[in-house]
């Protein structure tokens, strides 16, 4: 169990036992046992997001390709932007520290971020006026529209849910609950959501159980805000005086998480347990199509009816597919921005985005074809862009990669069962698999671009793990987007 050094032993807002205790009563009995620190978190280790707080500075680690190729360096690059939420400098080990110098436990305890809660709020559904902001701190916080993010469209069909979203330059997490009541005025149901905002989503998971408890409290005893007030006073962030709120994130190419089973403890405690493996099993071979589209920085919109929480995880996973850790690669490409849950109020914001991934419960978005490049409805991935339609077809190399991924997963599960391997995880396997694949592509492109004959041949394309024929269009898009305009395609790379 990771020690949470940010939590005081007794805080006024902590009215319930920590979520790690499995015997919590009440509505939680309907949910699978999980602690926020292990199964419901979206964290700074997300490859592709770039909001990393990994200690120790840039390091390199070799990753086995698993496909007969040579091991490639997964080298972290520039440190996070100055305004990104970082661990206190005093807790960071020296940048030249080696894995042997610090124990895994000490690194897990040292990994830390400062609390940066900028707002806490309660949203309620009113039978006359619809969703409404019931209470918030601070009073002057601009929360216009948050009432439609904290209670997603269609939430009346579910009893509980949790929602990640963006509000301006902030990220939010809200926990929703729907309770039956004997009230004619409320039409037999009381629905509320309690949420928080932060400049980064990496810490929001810590307060999942608190928000779940508070929304139940608001349903049972409306107007009891003292725990929320105490929480805000304890966790509030210091904002820039009199200036525009600044989103403290850094582009994907500044990701500095070191990838090794013994060197990325923050990944263990921040991403949802089973998130990537469930994502891969849900889409099957189609994950290779989504991988390509994410790497091409396309605008991806995922539709699903409530509950929204699991779909927010799919947004997270899509961004994980697009991570690149080779220095200098992807500097000029659009940042792959996660919007998490969006509704019609976000249309104007999405119109200005060059690359994003988001989810929605509102079917009307499918008609707004100018807002997205790729529309994912359940397991159906489709596009109305003629130039992208060929990318929806799986190449021979795609099928081979998926086969390899499946085999590696089976080997890992066998190792866990037979050898009791508790260190390796499916999450590591999936994330590292796509990281290595992306690094492999751009490592080869860089080598060819720097050679006397900058021409891509059958051999160099196969060295990337791509199909010289089936992936030709994907490769052309890749060269254009990432600025490899000096590379030439061999005449042999023609359509079959």
């Amino acid at each position: 169990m990771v020690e949470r050094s940010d939590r005081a032993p007794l805080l006024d807002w902590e009215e319930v036992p920590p979520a790690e205790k499995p015997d919590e009563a009440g509505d939680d009995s309907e949910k699978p046992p999980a602690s926020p620190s292990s199964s419901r978190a979206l964290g700074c280790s997300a490859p592709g997001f770039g909001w990393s707080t990994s200690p120790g500075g840039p390091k390199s680690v070799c990753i086995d390709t698993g496909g007969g190729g040579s091991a490639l360096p997964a080298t972290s690059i520039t440190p996070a932007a100055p305004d990104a939420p970082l661990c206190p400098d005093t807790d960071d080990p020296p940048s030249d520290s080696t894995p042997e110098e610090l124990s895994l436990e000490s690194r897990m305890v040292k990994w830390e971020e400062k609390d940066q809660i900028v707002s806490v709020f309660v949203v309620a559904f009113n039978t006359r006026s619809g969703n409404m902001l019931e209470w918030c701190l601070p009073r002057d916080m601009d929360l216009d529209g948050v009432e439609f993010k904290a209670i997603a469209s269609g939430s009346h069909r579910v009893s509980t849910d949790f929602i990640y979203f963006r509000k301006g330059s902030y990220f939010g997490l809200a926990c929703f609950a729907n309770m039956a009541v004997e009230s004619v005025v409320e039409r037999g149901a009381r629905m509320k959501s309690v949420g928080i905002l932060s400049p980064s989503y990496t810490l929001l998971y810590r307060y999942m159980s608190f928000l779940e408890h508070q929304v139940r409290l608001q349903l049972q005893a409306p107007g009891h805000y003292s725990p929320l007030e105490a929480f805000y006073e304890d966790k509030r962030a210091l904002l820039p005086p009199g200036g525009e709120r600044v989103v403290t994130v850094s582009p994907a190419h500044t990701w500095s998480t070191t990838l090794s089973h013994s060197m990325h403890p923050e990944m263990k405690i921040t991403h949802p347990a089973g998130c990537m493996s469930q994502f891969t099993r849900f889409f099957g071979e189609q994950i290779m199509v989504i991988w390509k589209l994410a790497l091409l920085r396309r605008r991806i919109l995922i539709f699903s009816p409530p509950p929204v929480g699991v779909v927010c995880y799919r947004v997270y996973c899509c961004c994980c597919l697009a991570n690149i850790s080779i220095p200098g690669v992807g500097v000029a490409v659009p940042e792959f921005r996660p919007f998490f849950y969006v509704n019609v109020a976000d249309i104007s914001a999405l119109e200005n985005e060059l690359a994003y991934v988001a989810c929605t419960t509102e079917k009307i978005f499918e008609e707004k074809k100018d807002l997205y490049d790729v529309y994912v409805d359940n397991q159906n991935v489709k596009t109305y862009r003629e130039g992208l339609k060929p990318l929806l077809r799986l190449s021979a190399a795609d099928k081979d990669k998926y086969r390899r991924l499946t085999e590696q997963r089976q080997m890992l599960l066998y190792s866990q069962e037979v050898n009791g391997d508790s260190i390796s995880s499916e999450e590591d396997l999936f994330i590292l698999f796509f990281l290595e694949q992306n690094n492999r592509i751009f490592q080869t492109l860089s080598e060819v671009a720097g050679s006397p004959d900058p021409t891509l041949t059958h051999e160099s394309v196969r060295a990337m793990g791509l199909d010289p024929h089936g992936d030709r269009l994907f490769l052309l898009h890749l060269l254009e987007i990432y600025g490899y305009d000096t590379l030439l395609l061999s005449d042999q790379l023609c359509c079959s």
Side-chain angles (χ1 to χ4, degrees):
M1 184 60 63
V2 179
E3 178 183 344
R4 297 183 175 180
S5 58
D6 67 309
R7 299 179 63 172
L10 291 174
L11 295 176
D12 292 338
W13 50 268
E14 292 189 298
E15 296 190 344
V16 291
E20 288 82 356
K21 296 186 179 182
D23 56 349
E24 184 174 347
D27 296 338
D28 285 350
S29 59
E30 300 176 2
K31 303 174 184 178
S35 67
S37 62
S38 63
S39 65
R40 313 183 79 182
L42 296 179
C44 65
S45 62
F49 278 5
W51 303 306
S52 172
T53 56
S54 179
K59 300 185 184 69
S60 298
V61 57
C62 287
I63 302 171
D64 188 359
T65 64
S70 59
L72 294 176
T75 309
S76 60
I77 43 183
T78 57
D83 58 347
L86 296 175
C87 312
D89 293 339
T90 55
D91 285 344
D92 287 348
S95 59
D96 59 350
S97 298
T98 60
E100 291 78 17
E101 292 175 1
L102 289 171
S103 67
L104 175 60
E105 181 180 0
S106 64
R107 281 193 299 275
M108 294 179 77
V109 172
K110 285 179 179 292
W111 179 77
E112 198 59 79
E113 273 188 298
K114 296 179 181 178
D115 296 295
Q116 297 190 70
I117 304 301
V118 299
S119 182
V120 57
F121 58 86
V122 178
V123 168
F125 175 77
N126 184 283
T127 55
R128 295 183 178 181
S129 55
N131 295 5
M132 57 176 286
L133 181 65
E134 176 181 300
W135 175 91
C136 71
L137 280 178
R139 303 295 184 186
D140 60 347
M141 187 72 178
D142 178 15
L143 294 176
D144 183 42
V146 77
E147 64 271 24
F148 299 108
K149 293 177 177 292
I151 299 182
S153 177
S155 290
H156 62 279
R157 300 188 185 97
V158 299
S159 58
T160 59
D161 200 0
F162 61 97
I163 308 166
Y164 283 86
F165 60 90
R166 288 188 66 138
K167 165 59 180 163
S169 59
Y170 297 125
F171 292 90
L173 170 64
C175 288
F176 166 83
N178 182 353
M179 183 178 75
V181 294
E182 295 182 1
S183 170
V184 176
V185 175
E186 295 178 284
R187 299 177 185 173
R190 182 178 299 158
M191 292 176 280
K192 293 195 178 189
S193 195
V194 176
I196 52 178
L197 292 180
S198 173
S200 167
Y201 74 89
T202 63
L203 293 183
L204 296 177
Y205 75 96
R206 295 181 176 178
Y207 312 115
M208 180 81 76
S209 61
F210 171 73
L211 296 176
E212 288 175 330
H213 174 70
Q214 287 302 309
V215 72
R216 290 194 298 268
L217 180 64
Q218 290 299 319
L219 290 176
Q220 297 163 3
H224 183 51
Y225 305 124
S226 56
L228 295 175
E229 292 170 346
F231 170 83
Y232 177 70
E233 288 301 316
D234 182 66
K235 299 296 181 183
R236 66 178 177 176
L238 298 177
L239 299 176
E244 180 68 21
R245 268 69 168 175
V246 179
V247 58
T248 54
V249 301
S250 55
H253 62 270
T254 63
W255 179 50
S256 62
T257 301
T258 304
L259 286 168
S260 167
H261 292 308
S262 63
M263 295 169 62
H264 63 294
E266 67 277 12
M267 185 178 290
K268 300 288 188 183
I269 65 174
T270 56
H271 69 66
C275 174
M276 276 297 293
S277 56
Q278 291 177 18
F279 174 75
T280 306
R281 290 195 297 270
F282 180 79
F283 285 107
E285 288 184 335
Q286 287 290 97
I287 193 176
M288 295 303 167
V289 172
I290 298 174
W291 160 65
K292 290 181 181 178
L293 295 168
L295 202 58
L296 293 177
R297 297 298 194 261
R298 297 305 178 185
R299 299 173 299 169
I300 301 175
L301 183 62
I302 304 173
F303 168 80
S304 178
V308 180
V310 66
V311 194
C312 289
Y313 287 162
R314 291 172 193 163
V315 170
Y316 163 87
C317 291
C318 282
C319 286
C320 288
L321 300 178
N323 180 63
I324 307 161
S325 64
I326 296 178
V329 174
V331 174
V333 301
E335 180 186 351
F336 201 42
R337 295 164 63 87
F339 268 75
F340 297 109
Y341 174 74
V342 295
N343 54 32
V344 291
D346 296 299
I347 288 178
S348 59
L350 294 179
E351 286 175 339
N352 300 319
E353 292 297 322
L354 299 176
Y356 73 83
V357 57
C359 62
T360 187
T361 60
E362 301 181 13
K363 195 69 173 177
I364 192 173
F365 269 95
E366 186 173 8
E367 302 173 9
K368 309 290 184 180
K369 299 176 183 177
D370 57 327
L371 291 181
Y372 59 85
D373 300 313
V374 181
Y375 188 82
V376 182
D377 185 347
N378 197 21
Q379 292 160 304
N380 183 23
V381 182
K382 54 187 176 181
T383 180
Y384 296 100
R385 314 286 179 194
E386 291 299 326
L388 294 180
K389 286 183 178 179
L391 297 181
L392 302 186
R393 294 193 295 267
L394 290 168
S395 68
D398 291 332
K399 295 179 180 180
D400 180 66
K401 280 192 286 289
Y402 185 74
R403 177 189 55 78
R404 271 199 299 120
L405 180 61
T406 303
E407 289 176 353
Q408 289 183 20
R409 175 178 177 268
Q410 292 173 344
M411 291 174 62
L412 174 63
L413 295 178
Y414 177 80
S415 175
Q416 290 175 335
E417 181 179 355
V418 175
N419 303 325
D421 181 2
S422 59
I423 298 178
S424 304
S425 75
E426 289 187 66
E427 311 313 302
D428 297 340
L429 186 152
F430 287 117
I431 291 172
L432 292 173
F433 182 91
F434 288 101
L435 171 68
E436 181 278 329
Q437 179 60 56
N438 297 341
N439 283 353
R440 185 177 177 185
I441 290 174
F442 290 100
Q443 184 75 32
T444 305
L445 288 176
S446 298
E447 290 173 355
V448 174
S451 66
D453 180 17
T455 303
L456 290 172
T457 63
H458 270 76
E459 291 71 24
S460 56
V461 173
R462 288 195 182 97
M464 300 179 202
L466 300 179
D467 186 325
H469 298 301
D471 288 326
R472 183 176 185 275
L473 181 61
F474 168 64
L475 189 55
L476 287 172
H477 281 294
L478 206 66
L479 297 179
E480 179 183 0
I481 291 172
Y482 287 87
Y484 288 93
D485 48 7
T486 60
L487 286 176
L488 303 174
L489 287 179
S490 169
D491 292 337
Q492 296 176 332
L493 297 180
C494 60
C495 298
S496 56

